[in-house]
Amino acid sequence: MAPLEPWEKVLVDYDAFSQTAHGKQICTDCHNGVHSSDKETAHDGLIASPSAEPEKYCAECHEEQTATYPFALHSTQEGYWTALDARSVPENHPALEEMFGNHCATCHTTCGECHVSQPKNVGGGLFTGHVFEKTPPMTRSCTACHGSRVGNEFLGKNEGFPGDVHFREGRMNCVKCHEGSELHGSATVEADAEVHRYADAEDPKCVDCHPTAAPDGDSNPMHQAHGDTLSCQVCHSITYTSCDGCHVAISQKSGNPFFETEATYPTFLIGRNPNPTEERPYKYVPVRHVPISPTSYQFYGDDLLPNFNALPTWLYATPHNIQKNTPQNTSCTVCHGSDGSLFLTADKVSAEELEANQSVIVGLVPPPVEMFIGAPFLPTSHLDLASNACTACHATGIRNAPVSPEDHAAYKDENCSGCHKLQP
Amino acid sequence: MKLKLTSALIVFTFLLTACGKAVTPSPIATAEEEPVETEAVVEVQPEADECVACHTDKQRLIDTAKPVVEAEGESKGVG
């Protein structure tokens, strides 16, 4: 997105704007300032972004949105704090808050930064002569901030990789899936505020538009076999971007905050879902390396993330480059009985991050299809067993249990149900 | 006698009314009933027009813009 000239940022299309509801008001109603032909005088007391105070300037007409937006993630940025809190300790908060204010808080978004102007952290500037847009323009609003990963994936800007089918074929923009009710939030009190984008209901959810892809929804054997164990992106996304080692500091030269990332590289890796929930029951999900490091914030103090290993550095990801056909869904053998190149196995994790990523590292790649097709069914009587400790009986053969073959030695209890299904 | 006095009073009152001026709409009242003129008064606010006059004039915005000091980007890598 090319930066706007200073005059472009504030040029008002009065013919268009005056026809709109917002254009019926006097400028100073929202922007304060002084009526004068002299610029300096006119801008005395100017409020450039009235919607930074939505309850004062927006609520009279947009009561529903202003009631929830203060608790929405675009406003609170609580997703960052959920991760920072988990990796840190309360006594480090003052230093982290200073860091956050200098480097992260610019991503806080006001109503106006989606509906009338480009976000401040990409230079600002009115979209269309001050006309308010109910639907934020995608590339000047959404991907202006969410550009380096989501935007590039969705729009096909990663060289060699096509854009998301919803964009290429459907010409869909972000709000086709991410509706206003999601973006504006739903909580009206702080206690109910969202804490992370994956914390609550899966919204948007692919099967809302593709109901036949849900388990039992169609005759596609892949959907039947994997619908509740793999997130849709495992089979339908392609290579996406990961990053390493972001460090932030204040420049001694200019006094401005800056960052440095050590590496950015394409990945496609399937990991375990570190936190399966009723909404997201998947056992496997794509994982993206995020650029956190134990020393990311060392400019602001030593050891600010003493609980660094509390969260993975390879995170559950929902890449925005969905395709019907992908390299991994061409054949069962790409995953089953494969060399494991598509899986986040321990050898792909740096030694210093192994502990942090135990919950997402895949220990065993799925066995060959033939192996589980021929696997004996689990007896119905096993439903009554209180324990899922299959190996307790099948490793030694107690209670006349069949002893598991030698090639099963590496399998753990959690792996058994992958092949041994209940008799239909 | 009483009837004569009452009749005389009615006749007197009628004559007095007939001598009064006819009620005609005043120019002021007419103006108040013309909504167009009232709106025009609201729209013509020279002070408010100063904002619009400047912010719709590209050349004036260019002429009055603060000089842009290009800050050297110090960040490295993908944000």
Side-chain angles (χ1 to χ4, degrees):
Chain A
M1 190 183 68
L4 296 176
E5 294 293 330
W7 63 267
E8 280 183 292
K9 294 180 180 179
V10 294
L11 183 67
V12 172
D13 179 351
Y14 192 68
D15 287 344
F17 180 56
S18 62
Q19 300 304 309
T20 67
H22 292 93
K24 304 295 181 201
Q25 299 185 69
I26 305 294
C27 307
T28 49
D29 285 353
C30 295
H31 288 286
N32 209 8
V34 177
H35 293 302
S36 168
S37 58
D38 174 64
K39 180 186 170 187
E40 297 305 321
T41 308
H43 288 184
D44 186 30
L46 179 76
I47 298 169
S49 303
S51 67
E53 295 180 86
E55 67 289 344
K56 185 172 178 184
Y57 292 100
C58 311
E60 187 179 339
C61 296
H62 305 283
E63 187 181 359
E64 188 182 332
Q65 290 81 3
T66 50
T68 58
Y69 191 66
F71 309 108
L73 289 175
H74 276 89
S75 174
T76 63
Q77 301 182 275
E78 194 59 26
Y80 287 103
W81 279 111
T82 297
L84 287 170
D85 286 345
R87 292 191 172 107
S88 186
V89 288
E91 52 266 37
N92 289 347
H93 256 236
L96 288 172
E97 280 171 15
E98 184 189 357
M99 178 284 298
F100 195 87
N102 288 337
H103 303 280
C104 311
T106 51
C107 290
H108 164 82
T109 314
T110 64
C111 311
E113 285 176 289
C114 289
H115 292 290
V116 71
S117 70
Q118 297 179 164
K120 206 183 299 177
N121 71 342
V122 294
L126 297 167
F127 291 142
T128 39
H130 210 305
V131 173
F132 280 72
E133 305 286 352
K134 183 175 183 184
T135 299
M138 181 168 65
T139 56
R140 297 184 68 190
S141 177
C142 314
T143 62
C145 290
H146 300 277
S148 55
R149 284 168 287 276
V150 170
N152 286 349
E153 292 161 9
F154 192 70
L155 301 172
K157 290 184 176 177
N158 288 333
E159 196 175 344
F161 299 101
D164 195 294
V165 68
H166 299 94
F167 176 69
R168 279 190 296 108
E169 302 289 338
R171 310 313 293 175
M172 289 166 66
N173 59 14
C174 304
V175 298
K176 288 285 183 187
C177 294
H178 299 280
E179 296 175 341
S181 56
E182 176 199 347
L183 300 170
H184 295 144
S186 55
T188 53
V189 292
E190 191 173 358
D192 296 335
E194 297 166 280
V195 296
H196 193 274
R197 68 182 185 274
Y198 296 140
D200 298 318
E202 188 173 14
D203 184 17
K205 197 173 176 72
C206 305
V207 295
D208 287 347
C209 289
H210 302 279
T212 58
D216 302 326
D218 64 13
S219 58
N220 183 326
M222 295 303 105
H223 292 156
Q224 300 314 305
H226 297 310
D228 54 358
T229 53
L230 309 182
S231 71
C232 303
Q233 290 87 354
V234 167
C235 294
H236 291 289
S237 67
I238 55 172
T239 297
Y240 46 85
T241 303
S242 282
C243 298
D244 285 354
C246 182
H247 289 82
V248 295
I250 299 292
S251 167
Q252 288 187 331
K253 183 175 156 193
S254 66
N256 292 328
F258 70 97
F259 66 85
E260 273 187 47
T261 44
E262 288 169 4
T264 298
Y265 48 94
T267 47
F268 179 85
L269 288 170
I270 301 166
R272 286 160 58 210
N273 180 0
N275 183 29
T277 61
E278 190 177 341
E279 283 286 339
R280 301 169 194 268
Y282 320 115
K283 285 178 75 174
Y284 296 97
V285 294
V287 286
R288 188 198 300 269
H289 194 272
V290 291
I292 190 71
S293 110
T295 56
S296 284
Y297 314 126
Q298 67 180 359
F299 178 84
Y300 293 90
D302 292 330
D303 198 23
L304 291 184
L305 303 175
N307 298 323
F308 183 78
N309 293 331
L311 292 177
T313 55
W314 286 91
L315 292 187
Y316 176 177
T318 47
H320 282 60
N321 50 18
I322 298 301
Q323 317 292 329
K324 183 177 182 185
N325 300 309
T326 61
Q328 68 274 22
N329 71 20
T330 54
S331 161
C332 305
T333 56
V334 175
C335 292
H336 288 279
S338 71
D339 61 1
S341 58
L342 288 184
F343 292 88
L344 182 74
T345 45
D347 59 302
K348 298 186 186 75
V349 179
S350 65
E352 58 272 25
E353 294 183 2
L354 273 173
E355 188 181 340
N357 289 291
Q358 284 305 304
S359 62
V360 291
I361 288 173
V362 175
L364 292 166
V365 300
V369 175
E370 303 76 37
M371 191 166 166
F372 66 80
I373 285 180
F377 285 111
L378 200 66
T380 312
S381 59
H382 277 40
L383 271 180
D384 299 330
L385 298 178
S387 166
N388 286 326
C390 311
T391 52
C393 296
H394 292 285
T396 56
I398 61 170
R399 298 180 185 172
N400 295 322
V403 177
S404 54
E406 282 182 15
D407 61 1
H408 282 37
Y411 296 146
K412 296 175 181 170
D413 292 325
E414 68 202 45
N415 303 125
C416 303
S417 62
C419 297
H420 299 280
K421 307 290 185 186
L422 275 173
Q423 185 110 34
Chain B
M1 184 64 186
K2 192 175 178 181
L3 184 64
K4 278 185 178 177
L5 272 173
T6 305
S7 299
L9 190 61
I10 290 170
V11 170
F12 177 72
T13 306
F14 175 78
L15 289 173
L16 195 64
T17 307
C19 290
K21 281 186 178 178
V23 178
T24 52
S26 73
I28 294 169
T30 304
E32 283 173 355
E33 287 170 11
E34 293 282 348
V36 175
E37 285 188 20
T38 305
E39 280 194 7
V41 170
V42 171
E43 279 189 3
V44 180
Q45 289 199 11
E47 305 94 336
D49 274 354
E50 293 297 342
C51 307
V52 173
C54 184
H55 281 269
T56 53
D57 185 340
K58 174 181 167 182
Q59 192 56 49
R60 195 167 160 191
L61 290 174
I62 292 171
D63 294 342
T64 56
K66 282 182 184 169
V68 177
V69 181
E70 287 288 344
E72 187 185 341
E74 294 171 86
S75 294
K76 292 177 185 166
V78 173

